[in-house]
Amino acid sequence: TRWPALHPPDAHLGLHDPQGGFSEPLEYIAALSRRVRQLGVEILEHQAVTDFILKAGRIAGVRTVQGDLAADAIVSTVHVCTLPLLRSLGLTFPIKHFVHQRYLSKPLTVDPGLLSFPPVNADPYGGYVRPAAGGRILLGIETPDREEWRKQWILLAELVGH
């Protein structure tokens, strides 16, 4: 009754996480960048890393196409794209590549109560649905061009009654 727009089948179970949340990537990245710069962090973008600089068994910097950069700490922000480079250090992680598609509706002119539903992570279906800024709905899903994922996309849409 709390979220009238959410209509999962009776057999479906879920977990409500009142402390959970989400962020809009453009807003989140901009806010994160501002804050870490305020803390004195230098952010270098568009620097293709080709190798690590090692000193006494520790990473002391990175080699880039533009030159070497010494650093006290290295933060990788490109997820699985760093796997080949990290393997050179003997590091492996249980992460994978996948196509992630985000679909954002046009602003909806419906009763705001109908857009009152929590973010739904439907991990078995490889996707999620949630309200978005401006009276919109955001659907995200992995690898939608494969037939088995199209069927799961339809199930996600059915969860919110659309």
Side-chain angles (χ1 to χ4, degrees):
T1 60
R2 185 169 176 189
W3 297 290
L6 188 62
H7 303 285
D10 290 337
H12 284 208
L13 299 175
L15 171 67
H16 173 58
D17 180 3
Q19 301 299 312
F22 57 86
S23 63
E24 299 295 344
L26 292 177
E27 295 169 9
Y28 172 76
I29 297 299
L32 180 61
S33 296
R34 274 191 307 276
R35 182 62 181 136
V36 298
R37 284 186 172 112
Q38 288 172 354
L39 295 171
V41 173
E42 181 181 8
I43 299 174
L44 301 174
E45 298 179 273
H46 312 292
Q47 301 278 327
V49 175
T50 59
D51 203 357
F52 294 103
I53 300 169
L54 301 175
K55 289 187 181 174
R58 294 186 53 127
I59 298 174
V62 293
R63 295 200 187 321
T64 74
V65 175
Q66 292 86 358
D68 290 356
L69 298 169
D72 297 327
I74 306 294
V75 177
S76 171
T77 61
V78 291
H79 195 29
V80 299
C81 298
T82 60
L83 287 177
L85 190 60
L86 294 172
R87 274 191 218 106
S88 72
L89 298 172
L91 299 173
T92 59
F93 298 96
I95 53 180
K96 65 175 184 164
H97 288 275
F98 62 89
V99 176
H100 180 88
Q101 299 290 322
R102 290 171 45 103
Y103 298 90
L104 186 62
S105 73
K106 292 181 179 181
L108 302 175
T109 56
V110 297
D111 177 356
L114 292 176
L115 289 179
S116 177
F117 63 92
V120 175
N121 286 325
D123 291 337
Y125 302 117
Y128 59 90
V129 60
R130 67 171 171 82
R136 300 170 187 249
I137 294 176
L138 176 73
L139 295 168
I141 195 161
E142 297 177 12
T143 320
D145 56 333
R146 293 173 42 193
E147 183 58 34
E148 64 271 25
W149 292 96
R150 279 192 200 102
K151 292 175 186 169
Q152 293 172 0
W153 174 260
I154 292 166
L155 289 173
L156 273 174
E158 289 173 358
L159 283 176
V160 293
H162 298 284

